[in-house]
Short mmCIF file of all heavy atoms in Angstrom, two decimals:
data_model
loop_
_atom_site.label_atom_id
_atom_site.label_comp_id
_atom_site.label_asym_id
_atom_site.label_seq_id
_atom_site.Cartn_x
_atom_site.Cartn_y
_atom_site.Cartn_z
N GLU A 212 12.01 -11.52 -88.84
CA GLU A 212 11.01 -12.00 -87.92
C GLU A 212 9.64 -11.65 -88.40
O GLU A 212 9.50 -10.45 -88.83
CB GLU A 212 11.28 -11.50 -86.51
CG GLU A 212 10.21 -12.03 -85.47
CD GLU A 212 10.50 -11.46 -84.15
OE1 GLU A 212 10.71 -10.27 -83.87
OE2 GLU A 212 10.33 -12.31 -83.15
N ILE A 213 8.63 -12.50 -88.31
CA ILE A 213 7.24 -12.19 -88.50
C ILE A 213 6.47 -12.65 -87.45
O ILE A 213 6.46 -13.87 -86.99
CB ILE A 213 6.63 -12.83 -89.78
CG1 ILE A 213 7.43 -12.26 -90.99
CG2 ILE A 213 5.13 -12.41 -90.00
CD1 ILE A 213 6.93 -12.88 -92.34
N ASN A 214 5.77 -11.84 -86.63
CA ASN A 214 5.00 -12.19 -85.42
C ASN A 214 4.17 -10.99 -85.14
O ASN A 214 4.57 -9.82 -85.09
CB ASN A 214 5.95 -12.47 -84.27
CG ASN A 214 5.35 -13.21 -83.17
OD1 ASN A 214 4.22 -12.78 -82.78
ND2 ASN A 214 6.03 -14.18 -82.57
N PRO A 215 2.96 -11.12 -84.73
CA PRO A 215 2.06 -10.00 -84.26
C PRO A 215 2.59 -9.33 -83.06
O PRO A 215 2.36 -8.15 -82.86
CB PRO A 215 0.64 -10.62 -84.05
CG PRO A 215 0.66 -12.00 -84.66
CD PRO A 215 2.08 -12.36 -84.74
N GLU A 216 3.42 -10.02 -82.35
CA GLU A 216 3.93 -9.49 -81.12
C GLU A 216 5.44 -9.46 -81.09
O GLU A 216 6.11 -10.29 -81.91
CB GLU A 216 3.50 -10.31 -79.87
CG GLU A 216 1.93 -10.31 -79.66
CD GLU A 216 1.51 -11.37 -78.67
OE1 GLU A 216 2.38 -12.04 -78.04
OE2 GLU A 216 0.30 -11.58 -78.48
N ALA A 217 6.04 -8.69 -80.21
CA ALA A 217 7.51 -8.63 -80.10
C ALA A 217 7.98 -9.93 -79.39
O ALA A 217 7.17 -10.48 -78.56
CB ALA A 217 7.95 -7.45 -79.27
N THR A 218 9.16 -10.39 -79.56
CA THR A 218 9.77 -11.53 -78.95
C THR A 218 11.18 -11.24 -78.56
O THR A 218 11.69 -10.10 -78.96
CB THR A 218 9.74 -12.85 -79.80
OG1 THR A 218 10.77 -12.65 -80.77
CG2 THR A 218 8.40 -13.02 -80.49
N PRO A 219 11.89 -12.07 -77.92
CA PRO A 219 13.28 -11.78 -77.59
C PRO A 219 14.22 -11.67 -78.91
O PRO A 219 15.21 -10.99 -78.83
CB PRO A 219 13.74 -13.06 -76.80
CG PRO A 219 12.52 -13.63 -76.17
CD PRO A 219 11.44 -13.30 -77.22
N VAL A 220 13.69 -12.07 -80.00
CA VAL A 220 14.32 -11.95 -81.20
C VAL A 220 14.31 -10.56 -81.87
O VAL A 220 15.21 -10.05 -82.40
CB VAL A 220 13.86 -12.97 -82.37
CG1 VAL A 220 14.49 -12.75 -83.74
CG2 VAL A 220 14.17 -14.38 -81.87
N THR A 221 13.20 -9.92 -81.47
CA THR A 221 12.92 -8.53 -81.96
C THR A 221 14.07 -7.61 -81.72
O THR A 221 14.44 -6.78 -82.57
CB THR A 221 11.53 -8.06 -81.37
OG1 THR A 221 10.62 -8.95 -81.61
CG2 THR A 221 11.24 -6.65 -82.11
N ALA A 222 14.75 -7.73 -80.62
CA ALA A 222 15.77 -6.83 -80.19
C ALA A 222 16.93 -6.78 -81.18
O ALA A 222 17.53 -5.74 -81.44
CB ALA A 222 16.28 -7.17 -78.76
N TYR A 223 17.12 -7.94 -81.95
CA TYR A 223 18.31 -7.98 -82.76
C TYR A 223 17.98 -8.23 -84.20
O TYR A 223 18.81 -8.26 -85.08
CB TYR A 223 19.39 -8.80 -82.21
CG TYR A 223 19.02 -10.35 -82.16
CD1 TYR A 223 19.09 -11.16 -83.17
CD2 TYR A 223 18.58 -10.86 -80.87
CE1 TYR A 223 18.65 -12.54 -83.04
CE2 TYR A 223 18.13 -12.08 -80.72
CZ TYR A 223 18.19 -12.94 -81.82
OH TYR A 223 17.83 -14.29 -81.63
N ALA A 224 16.68 -8.54 -84.45
CA ALA A 224 16.29 -8.83 -85.91
C ALA A 224 16.64 -7.60 -86.85
O ALA A 224 16.28 -6.51 -86.35
CB ALA A 224 14.86 -9.21 -85.92
N HIS A 225 17.05 -7.83 -87.98
CA HIS A 225 17.32 -6.67 -88.88
C HIS A 225 15.91 -6.10 -89.39
O HIS A 225 15.75 -5.01 -89.59
CB HIS A 225 18.14 -7.12 -90.05
CG HIS A 225 19.42 -7.62 -89.76
ND1 HIS A 225 19.73 -8.89 -89.36
CD2 HIS A 225 20.62 -6.95 -89.44
CE1 HIS A 225 21.01 -8.99 -88.98
NE2 HIS A 225 21.64 -7.85 -89.05
N VAL A 226 15.05 -7.05 -89.53
CA VAL A 226 13.66 -6.73 -89.91
C VAL A 226 12.66 -7.49 -89.13
O VAL A 226 12.82 -8.68 -88.98
CB VAL A 226 13.31 -6.93 -91.34
CG1 VAL A 226 11.82 -6.94 -91.73
CG2 VAL A 226 14.15 -6.17 -92.39
N SER A 227 11.75 -6.82 -88.36
CA SER A 227 10.75 -7.49 -87.57
C SER A 227 9.36 -7.01 -87.92
O SER A 227 9.08 -5.81 -87.70
CB SER A 227 11.03 -7.27 -86.05
OG SER A 227 10.14 -8.11 -85.28
N LEU A 228 8.63 -7.82 -88.67
CA LEU A 228 7.31 -7.38 -89.24
C LEU A 228 6.19 -7.81 -88.25
O LEU A 228 6.12 -8.97 -87.79
CB LEU A 228 7.01 -8.04 -90.53
CG LEU A 228 8.15 -7.77 -91.66
CD1 LEU A 228 7.77 -8.62 -92.90
CD2 LEU A 228 8.08 -6.32 -91.98
N ARG A 229 5.43 -6.83 -87.80
CA ARG A 229 4.31 -7.09 -86.95
C ARG A 229 3.09 -7.55 -87.71
O ARG A 229 2.41 -6.71 -88.36
CB ARG A 229 3.93 -5.82 -86.12
CG ARG A 229 4.91 -5.42 -85.06
CD ARG A 229 4.69 -6.41 -83.83
NE ARG A 229 6.11 -6.40 -83.18
CZ ARG A 229 7.12 -7.14 -83.52
NH1 ARG A 229 7.00 -7.99 -84.56
NH2 ARG A 229 8.27 -7.11 -82.99
N GLY A 230 3.02 -8.80 -87.87
CA GLY A 230 1.80 -9.21 -88.70
C GLY A 230 1.64 -10.71 -88.64
O GLY A 230 2.34 -11.37 -87.95
N LYS A 231 0.75 -11.24 -89.38
CA LYS A 231 0.50 -12.65 -89.54
C LYS A 231 1.33 -13.29 -90.70
O LYS A 231 1.32 -12.81 -91.78
CB LYS A 231 -0.97 -12.94 -89.76
CG LYS A 231 -1.84 -12.37 -88.55
CD LYS A 231 -3.35 -12.70 -88.85
CE LYS A 231 -4.16 -12.37 -87.59
NZ LYS A 231 -5.62 -12.64 -87.82
N THR A 232 1.92 -14.45 -90.45
CA THR A 232 2.58 -15.22 -91.44
C THR A 232 1.70 -15.53 -92.56
O THR A 232 2.15 -15.51 -93.74
CB THR A 232 3.21 -16.46 -90.82
OG1 THR A 232 2.24 -17.23 -90.05
CG2 THR A 232 4.43 -16.15 -90.01
N GLY A 233 0.44 -15.90 -92.29
CA GLY A 233 -0.49 -16.22 -93.42
C GLY A 233 -0.66 -15.14 -94.42
O GLY A 233 -1.14 -15.32 -95.61
N GLU A 234 -0.52 -13.90 -93.92
CA GLU A 234 -0.66 -12.80 -94.84
C GLU A 234 0.63 -12.25 -95.36
O GLU A 234 0.84 -11.84 -96.56
CB GLU A 234 -1.37 -11.63 -94.04
CG GLU A 234 -2.81 -12.03 -93.65
CD GLU A 234 -3.42 -11.01 -92.58
OE1 GLU A 234 -2.86 -9.93 -92.34
OE2 GLU A 234 -4.53 -11.33 -92.14
N LEU A 235 1.77 -12.10 -94.55
CA LEU A 235 2.94 -11.43 -94.95
C LEU A 235 3.85 -12.44 -95.77
O LEU A 235 4.52 -11.96 -96.69
CB LEU A 235 3.66 -10.95 -93.67
CG LEU A 235 2.97 -9.75 -93.03
CD1 LEU A 235 3.79 -9.34 -91.71
CD2 LEU A 235 2.60 -8.62 -93.79
N LEU A 236 3.91 -13.64 -95.54
CA LEU A 236 4.72 -14.55 -96.26
C LEU A 236 4.27 -14.60 -97.73
O LEU A 236 5.08 -14.53 -98.60
CB LEU A 236 4.75 -15.98 -95.62
CG LEU A 236 5.67 -16.19 -94.43
CD1 LEU A 236 5.45 -17.54 -93.80
CD2 LEU A 236 7.15 -15.91 -94.74
N PRO A 237 2.96 -14.84 -97.95
CA PRO A 237 2.61 -14.79 -99.39
C PRO A 237 2.96 -13.54 -100.13
O PRO A 237 3.24 -13.42 -101.25
CB PRO A 237 1.08 -14.95 -99.41
CG PRO A 237 0.79 -15.67 -98.03
CD PRO A 237 1.82 -15.09 -97.08
#
Side-chain angles (χ1 to χ4, degrees):
E212 179 182 41
I213 300 180
N214 195 316
E216 296 169 8
T218 74
V220 172
T221 308
Y223 59 84
H225 297 91
V226 168
S227 188
L228 300 174
R229 285 289 152 275
K231 296 182 174 182
T232 41
E234 294 168 7
L235 295 181
L236 281 173

